[in-house]
Amino acid sequence: MPISLDPMIMREVIMDHYEHPRNKEEVDDPSYVSAHMNSASCIDDITVQVRLSGERIEDVKWHGTACAISSSATSIMSELVKGKTLSQAEKAMGAYLKMMRGEPYDASLLGEAEVFKNTNRQPSRIGCATIGWKGLFQAIGKGEGNKED
Amino acid sequence: MILSQAKVGALRKDFPMLRNFLLMQGKRFCYLDSAATSFKPERVIEATSSYYREWNANTHRGDYDLAHLADRRYREARAKVASFLNASFEEVVFTSGDTEGMNAIAYGLCSTLNPGDEIVLSPAEHASNVLPWIVWAKAFSLKVVFAPLDEQGGVSVSNVEKAMTPKTKVLSFAHVSNVLGNVLDAKGMADLAHANGALLVLDGAQSVPHRKVDVAQLDCDFLAFSGHKMCGPSGIGVLYGRRKLLERIPPLLSGGGMNASFDTSCQVSYEELPFKFEAGTRNVAGAYGLSEAIDYLQSVGMDRIDAYERKLKKEVVEALKDIPGIVVYNPLSPCGIVDFNREGIFSQDEGTLLNHQGICVRSGLHCAKALTGFLPKSGTVRASFYLYNDRDDVAQFVGALREGGDPLDAYFA
């Protein structure tokens, strides 16, 4: 869904997700794979938990303490990828990383995640804006690993 | 007795960083992170560089005049440190910093203890005064015990006494805590240790730069600290150890310069103190820069520096009382460290916001990762004051906290 890229609106969306994070819940369910993201260069501490059903991301939950950008980016990510196939989620992350780097990207894949468009102007926050996404794929990677066993 | 703002203004001129780095995010540059590292006066930079420009030679090796000159200056630097601490020449070991010193002390002591012997630390300690003990205790089958903190998050003689057993052989604590700034009753702790057949190790990283430290008066057995936190260059520090203890413990690092002889039957004999603990080519430039830093600080006066920092902290804490939402965790500790949070705001967001106001502070756990029982698990913000901070710094800091703002200000700037 197209979102407004007016800075005021972008800011409000980010603050909304920071103050009212979506899917923020610790899950105690063995059908979820978890990845604990513990940055060496900051004190963000986020765990992402994913439940896969075949190729589809059935549910994404996350918990922990992190800065405003990390928290809101993870919250927005969790809503964006829920229900998508792994391939769709990978394409979305690809577009997101291009946006981080200031390269041309396919906005239709990003929905609300486009509010982090400015990150390319503040590269020190790229880690914040991508921590949740990295956690998602790390968890998925673990899930795939388990399947192969 | 107290440093006047006129005097501080004059001191600030000594520091090139304060001349060269004027604006941050378009605001007046305000550095409140000296607990992490300090700025250096021109004369320290000049002294350190002079080694490379004018008297660059290895020490303890050459038979030529230039080498003798380097030897003499390195020796004088050590003598300066010894006098500064009220220690003997052979009790002063130059290291690469506090952390190397703590590792050398931990290895040295642990290797002389018996399986089952105990070491007492506290949850407030910096990683550099925890990990070396954990690592070497494991290697030598010793036990590490953490004494409980008091209500200020400090380490008290009575709490440590309760944590001691007949097997306790070492007590190791920060002289001044890098997070809460609590000051240890070092003499009391030394008495407790010695009365019970144990030794006292002090981590002096946050004390030696800011107040007078007399190892004889404190009666500590070991002390480690870094040069870069006391207006000295990077990569240099000091390990102080009581002579008979340094004679008894093995060095952590081995190699050239610390051995008297070795042969192919693997017999090794060590050099006399302090050289036994100084393997390899030393940071001669750093040692010389550190001795210059000591001269500089002594010309201002350690007591005056200490009193000034406490005064600034008192003013800051008083002003912060009126700002809703700001919680200070260490209002009473007598030092220049203010540890706080803004309610509801992640500490690193607050740090980022202050950066946007031109202010340098540190956010997080400050390497005291076991202190999370006493402080929020998500960390705190630490502002630290030193001799070159002035009233404008205080006003800017308090003003920024009063004004608030949201953590996204910088992101959307």
Side-chain angles (χ1 to χ4, degrees):
Chain A
M1 134 207 352
I3 60 129
S4 167
L5 289 179
D6 172 90
M8 276 302 294
I9 308 277
M10 284 165 73
R11 199 170 170 138
E12 273 171 29
V13 170
I14 293 175
M15 281 314 280
D16 181 38
H17 276 268
Y18 182 43
E19 281 163 1
H20 309 285
R22 300 4 174 203
N23 300 307
K24 189 175 183 195
E25 189 190 318
E26 183 167 5
V27 176
D28 183 14
D29 179 339
S31 65
Y32 285 74
V33 267
S34 295
H36 182 213
M37 303 305 287
N38 208 322
S39 165
S41 61
C42 72
I43 48 173
D44 286 350
D45 187 333
I46 285 185
T47 302
V48 180
Q49 295 176 286
V50 188
R51 191 175 62 212
L52 297 169
S53 174
E55 282 301 300
R56 197 163 287 279
I57 297 171
E58 227 179 54
D59 193 21
V60 178
K61 292 275 189 280
W62 66 280
H63 65 273
T65 47
C67 68
I69 301 294
S70 296
S71 303
S72 53
T74 305
S75 171
I76 287 173
M77 175 277 295
S78 73
E79 288 202 305
L80 186 65
V81 303
K82 237 206 283 213
K84 286 200 161 54
T85 64
L86 288 180
S87 159
Q88 286 170 327
E90 269 168 33
K91 288 205 176 76
M93 182 161 179
Y96 191 67
L97 291 177
K98 285 208 174 94
M99 183 177 77
M100 294 287 119
R101 293 190 293 260
E103 294 165 20
Y105 61 93
D106 183 354
S108 70
L109 299 176
L110 293 181
E112 266 192 332
E114 242 196 315
V115 297
F116 297 104
K117 196 177 188 333
N118 282 354
T119 314
N120 69 298
R121 287 195 274 150
Q122 208 180 16
S124 59
R125 307 314 292 275
I126 292 179
C128 310
T130 55
I131 189 176
W133 289 86
K134 291 199 181 122
L136 171 74
F137 282 96
Q138 215 172 83
I140 289 172
K142 278 196 201 166
E144 313 258 73
N146 290 344
K147 261 197 282 169
E148 257 134 37
D149 292 343
Chain B
M1 181 63 187
I2 285 272
L3 293 179
S4 66
Q5 285 303 295
K7 174 69 178 163
V8 172
L11 290 177
R12 284 172 69 88
K13 295 199 171 83
D14 294 336
F15 292 83
M17 267 300 290
L18 292 171
R19 270 201 308 278
N20 298 330
F21 201 96
L22 295 171
L23 293 177
M24 200 165 71
Q25 300 259 322
K27 305 284 193 322
R28 175 185 178 273
F29 175 60
C30 173
Y31 186 75
L32 301 183
D33 200 19
S34 292
T37 199
S38 62
F39 294 153
K40 333 292 171 199
E42 180 63 54
R43 55 189 273 193
V44 166
I45 300 169
E46 177 47 47
T48 311
S49 317
S50 78
Y51 174 67
Y52 301 114
R53 287 201 186 103
E54 295 161 30
W55 49 285
N56 195 162
N58 209 327
T59 54
H60 309 312
R61 306 263 195 283
D63 296 314
Y64 44 94
D65 288 349
L66 175 61
H68 301 156
L69 176 59
D71 271 345
R72 177 161 64 79
R73 293 221 166 119
Y74 188 58
R75 192 169 59 239
E76 284 166 359
R78 192 188 310 272
K80 178 69 54 78
V81 173
S83 154
F84 183 59
L85 298 176
N86 193 19
S88 305
F89 183 87
E90 56 283 343
E91 294 177 321
V92 171
V93 174
F94 280 121
T95 60
S96 63
D98 190 306
T99 297
E100 184 197 317
M102 292 308 304
N103 273 271
I105 293 166
Y107 168 69
L109 283 181
C110 288
S111 69
T112 63
L113 298 178
N114 297 312
D117 280 347
E118 296 178 4
I119 296 149
V120 180
L121 308 176
S122 89
E125 300 310 312
H126 184 285
S128 294
N129 188 28
V130 177
L131 267 55
W133 298 107
I134 290 178
V135 164
W136 292 114
K138 200 163 176 193
F140 291 106
S141 305
L142 313 169
K143 190 169 166 210
V144 173
V145 167
F146 290 86
L149 300 174
D150 63 25
E151 320 78 58
Q152 315 295 341
V155 184
S156 69
V157 170
S158 56
N159 279 354
V160 171
E161 188 162 18
K162 288 189 206 124
M164 289 174 78
T165 73
K167 290 205 168 278
T168 303
K169 292 290 183 281
V170 178
L171 308 179
S172 186
F173 307 116
H175 189 189
V176 173
S177 155
N178 72 305
V179 185
L180 294 170
N182 289 308
V183 180
L184 194 76
D185 170 12
K187 179 72 174 80
M189 209 59 82
D191 290 343
L192 174 67
H194 300 152
N196 292 284
L199 300 173
L200 176 66
V201 178
L202 287 184
D203 173 1
Q206 301 293 342
S207 62
V208 178
H210 301 279
R211 59 187 55 219
K212 186 146 172 45
V213 172
D214 178 328
V215 294
Q217 196 179 75
L218 296 178
D219 204 18
C220 56
D221 298 290
F222 291 94
L223 169 78
F225 61 95
S226 290
H228 72 92
K229 290 202 208 285
M230 53 187 285
C231 299
S234 318
I236 189 77
V238 170
L239 182 181
Y240 155 78
R242 232 188 260 282
R243 184 211 307 254
K244 61 176 172 29
L245 294 171
L246 288 181
E247 271 162 7
R248 207 196 311 154
I249 66 174
L252 175 64
L253 299 175
S254 298
M258 50 73 78
N259 68 82
S261 65
F262 65 94
D263 60 32
T264 52
S265 66
C266 293
Q267 302 277 31
V268 179
S269 69
Y270 292 136
E271 272 291 355
E272 59 188 14
L273 295 176
F275 307 111
K276 173 179 149 187
F277 291 92
E278 296 195 359
T281 296
R282 311 310 294 167
N283 182 358
V284 177
Y288 195 64
L290 174 58
S291 80
E292 189 70 25
I294 288 172
D295 270 344
Y296 182 78
L297 292 177
Q298 285 187 314
S299 74
V300 180
M302 300 312 296
D303 290 341
R304 289 175 84 198
I305 292 171
D306 184 21
Y308 181 63
E309 290 172 20
R310 295 192 205 195
K311 183 156 188 278
L312 288 187
K313 174 174 173 175
K314 265 208 171 107
E315 288 172 15
V316 166
V317 169
E318 199 51 44
L320 296 188
K321 279 195 185 132
D322 296 327
I323 304 178
I326 297 291
V327 51
V328 176
Y329 299 102
N330 66 333
L332 302 176
S333 63
C335 61
I337 295 172
V338 180
D339 206 53
F340 69 98
N341 264 322
R342 185 190 296 277
E343 269 157 4
I345 298 288
F346 186 60
S347 64
Q348 203 155 19
D349 279 333
E350 187 63 30
T352 310
L353 182 58
L354 288 169
N355 172 51
H356 188 54
Q357 302 291 353
I359 299 167
C360 306
V361 293
R362 191 150 289 257
S363 332
L365 301 174
H366 315 292
C367 284
K369 292 186 184 168
L371 195 46
T372 51
F374 186 83
L375 290 177
K377 218 157 53 98
S378 52
T380 61
V381 187
R382 180 190 71 187
S384 50
F385 295 87
Y386 206 4
L387 73 167
Y388 42 67
N389 289 117
D390 59 16
R391 282 263 156 64
D392 289 345
D393 288 327
V394 171
Q396 186 174 343
F397 177 58
V398 172
L401 289 182
R402 193 170 283 134
E403 193 184 303
D406 89 47
L408 295 178
D409 282 349
Y411 188 69
F412 282 97

